[in-house]
Amino acid sequence: MGTLIDGCPAGLRLGVEDVQSELDRRLPPDTTITSARREKDEVQILSGVFEGFTTGAPITLLTLNRDVRSQDYDKLRLIARPGHADFPMRIKYGGFNDLRGGGRASGRLTVPIIVAGAIAKKLLHQIQIQVVAHTVQIHTIRLERSPPTETIRRVAYTNSVRCSDPATADRMAERIRQVKGEGDSVGGVVECIAEGVPAGLGDPFFDSLDADLAKIVFSIPAVKGFEVGLGFGAAEIKGSENNDPYAIREGEVVTLTNNAGGILGGLSSGMPIVVRVGFKPPSSIPKDQQTVNLKEMKDAIVQVTGRHDPCVVPKAVPVVEAVVAIVLADHCLRAQVIPRVIGKKEIG
Ligand SMILES: Cc1cc2nc3c(=O)[nH]c(=O)nc-3n(C[C@H](O)[C@H](O)[C@H](O)COP(=O)(O)O)c2cc1C
């Protein structure tokens, strides 16, 4: 998997370990709730970094796939998996598309997203913006109330589901195991919170902050829903309940509630940005499914075997964190809240 990042400021301290540590978070340790593919991703930095700092030149990174079994995808030459991208891909690319691992519709595409997100996060740390995500729903099991971000940061990665409440995490993991045992799969919801975002980032119409977030979020495979703040919940309440009242606290303008999720008119409001991302149940399931044989142009039955995720949500938590970081870093650079050159190197 290649990642090419252009426009990163010079002078950002960057080592391979900064990116590797983020990639390692993509793999929940408990293989009973994820795919048996271990995908130990080792990243290399090929360009754009010199003596431990970014140079301002494009940064190229490479992550090799170590655990591949391309034969698992052989039967896709004839049939289209229901719920996967095989059929529209074949039509768009005339059948020349790479089938292995799902090709460009593979969950592997989340590797370069995390790589780019690791660098975006380092940029955001320069101005104390922190982004954190956690699982708030698996199938019908919900985390009813999100804890403070400090708790999310401390607890979410202590369990393989990436949920900030250990008891709920156990129930979620059990549901994934149960559904996997039935030869089926489940979806869920990831919540992401960005704190320390200054007011006024974004644009009122094109490139509005929520539109940019939605666009990149929907580029993550298996995403089917996106909400900012109360989201669809705002459609069920009155204006008097939905409006976030303003107040002055410690000399700053704040709102006493945050139903807007930190974005008003496409611009950051200065309150935490809160988004939720809905993932569908992955399509690759060993149960019999109705499909078509594209060569014979006849109905057919398929069982999708191979090493697939019964639920993509645990792996997707750091991915959501990464895409939010990428959008915020872009907008910070555009607004020159983050400078084009960070610091100055001594001569000699
Ligand atoms: C981290 C991650 C892992 C995924 N793994 C699988 C998988 O093992 N099996 C599968 O059918 N889909 C998996 N997907 C989802 C497919 O890539 C996705 O459903 C497919 O590209 C079709 O696109 P769409 O669902 O966005 O319409 C994964 C997605 C993510 C984010």
Side-chain angles (χ1 to χ4, degrees):
M1 312 297 302
T3 312
L4 176 65
I5 298 162
D6 203 0
C8 182
L12 178 73
R13 185 184 282 281
L14 187 68
V16 82
E17 62 286 352
D18 293 318
V19 185
Q20 189 63 52
S21 57
E22 289 292 320
L23 268 182
D24 292 345
R25 299 166 83 220
R26 207 184 78 95
L27 275 194
D30 181 355
T31 49
T32 64
I33 62 158
T34 59
S35 139
R37 303 184 306 256
R38 274 294 78 191
E39 297 171 327
K40 172 67 183 157
D41 302 310
E42 276 168 34
V43 68
Q44 305 162 39
I45 300 177
L46 302 186
S47 77
V49 177
F50 177 58
E51 294 182 339
F53 290 90
T54 54
T55 61
I59 306 171
T60 318
L61 304 102
L62 185 69
T63 317
L64 295 176
N65 274 6
R66 300 261 180 226
D67 186 10
V68 286
R69 263 197 353 214
S70 299
Q71 70 275 18
D72 284 352
Y73 297 87
D74 269 356
K75 70 171 138 185
L76 303 186
R77 294 176 197 282
L78 303 179
I79 59 110
R81 289 172 295 176
H84 221 297
D86 308 328
F87 179 65
M89 279 288 208
R90 170 171 289 275
I91 300 299
K92 182 169 172 73
Y93 296 105
F96 289 105
N97 51 303
D98 190 345
L99 302 171
R100 295 167 301 168
R104 288 175 72 187
S106 167
R108 293 288 298 162
L109 264 292
T110 56
V111 168
I113 295 177
I114 292 197
V115 168
I119 297 173
K121 274 185 175 182
K122 280 218 85 173
L123 279 174
L124 295 177
H125 287 168
Q126 301 288 314
I127 54 165
Q128 280 77 51
I129 296 179
Q130 303 275 353
V131 186
V132 67
H134 61 144
T135 300
V136 294
Q137 187 175 335
I138 295 284
H139 197 209
T140 56
I141 299 171
R142 287 186 179 81
L143 179 69
E144 289 306 336
R145 187 178 280 273
S146 289
T149 47
E150 190 275 316
T151 309
I152 300 175
R153 220 166 269 122
R154 192 165 38 79
V155 178
Y157 281 79
T158 60
N159 60 75
S160 282
V161 184
R162 311 320 196 188
C163 176
S164 49
D165 176 65
T168 313
D170 285 347
R171 291 173 52 225
M172 289 173 167
E174 198 39 51
R175 178 66 58 88
I176 297 174
R177 278 186 217 108
Q178 177 204 330
V179 168
K180 184 184 175 187
E182 294 161 4
D184 222 322
S185 62
V186 275
V189 179
V190 174
E191 181 178 71
C192 184
I193 301 146
E195 289 177 316
V197 181
L201 288 188
D203 261 310
F205 192 83
F206 297 110
D207 302 337
S208 80
L209 202 50
D210 32 6
D212 279 359
L213 284 166
K215 187 167 185 182
I216 194 167
V217 159
F218 277 113
S219 302
I220 304 173
V223 168
K224 292 294 159 185
F226 176 68
E227 290 185 329
V228 181
L230 262 196
F232 277 80
E236 295 173 7
I237 58 175
K238 297 175 187 157
S240 55
E241 298 164 305
N242 185 53
N243 293 346
D244 299 312
Y246 282 109
I248 304 293
R249 293 289 180 271
E250 295 169 20
E252 302 278 340
V253 176
V254 296
T255 60
L256 299 177
T257 52
N258 189 21
N259 293 334
I263 304 179
L264 290 166
L267 309 174
S268 57
S269 71
M271 295 302 289
I273 291 180
V274 183
V275 301
R276 270 180 304 279
V277 181
F279 287 84
K280 74 181 193 185
S283 62
S284 307
I285 50 173
K287 272 194 168 169
D288 279 2
Q289 293 179 82
Q290 164 74 44
T291 185
V292 288
N293 182 312
L294 293 166
K295 189 164 183 175
E296 296 170 3
M297 286 306 275
K298 279 189 181 153
D299 287 3
I301 298 291
V302 66
Q303 298 107 11
V304 184
T305 50
R307 300 172 298 166
H308 295 285
D309 291 295
C311 180
V312 304
V313 174
K315 280 186 185 169
V317 172
V319 180
V320 172
E321 221 173 86
V323 295
V324 170
I326 291 167
V327 169
L328 291 178
D330 268 352
H331 277 277
C332 285
L333 285 168
R334 230 188 275 182
Q336 297 180 359
V337 178
I338 297 176
R340 288 280 161 192
V341 180
I342 299 165
K344 199 161 191 181
K345 198 171 185 177
E346 291 296 317
I347 296 176

